Amino acid sequence: MAYRFYLYISDVKVDMLLSQLDPSSAARRTTEVGVDLKVVNGRRSVETSPDTDPVSRLERVLKRLEKDDAVGTVEEPGPFFRGRLPMRWGALAHGDDMSLVFFGGRTGRTVVGLGGSTRHVLGSSADAAGGPPLARSLLPSLLDGLRLDPRIAALFTAAGSGPSPDPDGLALRAVREAAHGLGGPAQTVEFVAKRLLHGPDPEAADGAAVLLGSPLYVALVD
């Protein structure tokens, strides 16, 4: 049996999708949490309801997305995409900002970047939940987080001095630079992510591509 060691679960995205796929789940979860809290007052432990367990809620969302044929691959992403590949990752710490966690890797001819808020990294401290006003899983805020890297900031500065910068091409270059700039050992992970940006690699001429997503989950796999 293969086990997943979860590194990242976005409960915000999972709950948002679950409320659309199964509207009754939000009300049911609220009721069961209330019941659980009452039971805790009289007992030392209480069984976790499927609707209060983040992994169970994640699995329900993934099954529905698969059923709706909404999950593509890295090479052919749909609204969401699934992958399994070696990736380097970490919280990008430039200046005083550590609210963005970024995973970077490559498979075939596609450079893959995944970005989100550090508050969704399992085991992160409560201090990481403060974050910026705009969540790092949203494209404008994610790119702003990448621009805190001096190398990537230089790309935007150089493009701004040119005649007519290409915003999409510039964003793809930023993702490529961020993925290639990650240090440390690569770990094999699997993930499902929301597609945010996908286009031809500006630095290659062989049909290569750059793909940026915000993950529902990332897990270590054997």
Side-chain angles (χ1 to χ4, degrees), residues 28-49 52:
R28 185 165 63 249
R29 183 184 173 204
T30 300
T31 300
E32 290 175 348
V33 169
V35 171
D36 286 350
L37 289 175
K38 290 180 181 179
V39 174
V40 169
N41 288 333
R43 298 174 57 188
R44 290 187 178 181
S45 63
V46 61
E47 291 186 3
T48 302
S49 162
T52 61

Side-chain angles (χ1 to χ4, degrees), residues 15-23 25 64:
D15 287 348
M16 176 182 64
L17 291 169
L18 191 57
S19 67
Q20 298 173 66
L21 302 174
D22 182 7
S25 65
R64 180 56 186 268

Side-chain angles (χ1 to χ4, degrees), residues 155 169 172-173 176-177 180 200-206 208 210:
L155 293 177
L172 292 169
R173 289 181 64 193
R176 186 182 192 277
E177 183 68 24
H180 288 173
D201 188 338
E203 303 295 327
D206 58 353
V210 176

Side-chain angles (χ1 to χ4, degrees), residues 45-64:
S45 63
V46 61
E47 291 186 3
T48 302
S49 162
D51 269 358
T52 61
D53 174 35
V55 175
S56 295
R57 299 200 311 277
L58 170 65
E59 291 295 339
R60 288 175 61 191
V61 168
L62 294 177
K63 287 179 181 178
R64 180 56 186 268

Side-chain angles (χ1 to χ4, degrees), residues 60-75:
R60 288 175 61 191
V61 168
L62 294 177
K63 287 179 181 178
R64 180 56 186 268
L65 291 176
E66 293 282 4
K67 180 180 178 181
D68 292 345
D69 199 26
V71 183
T73 64
V74 168
E75 302 297 345

Side-chain angles (χ1 to χ4, degrees), residues 113-152:
L114 306 174
S117 301
T118 52
R119 59 168 299 200
H120 297 311
V121 176
L122 274 67
S124 62
S125 67
D127 293 340
L134 192 59
R136 286 301 189 202
S137 58
L138 301 178
L139 183 58
S141 181
L142 203 166
L143 292 176
D144 284 344
L146 295 182
R147 289 179 66 171
L148 293 172
D149 185 327
R151 298 167 305 158
I152 297 175

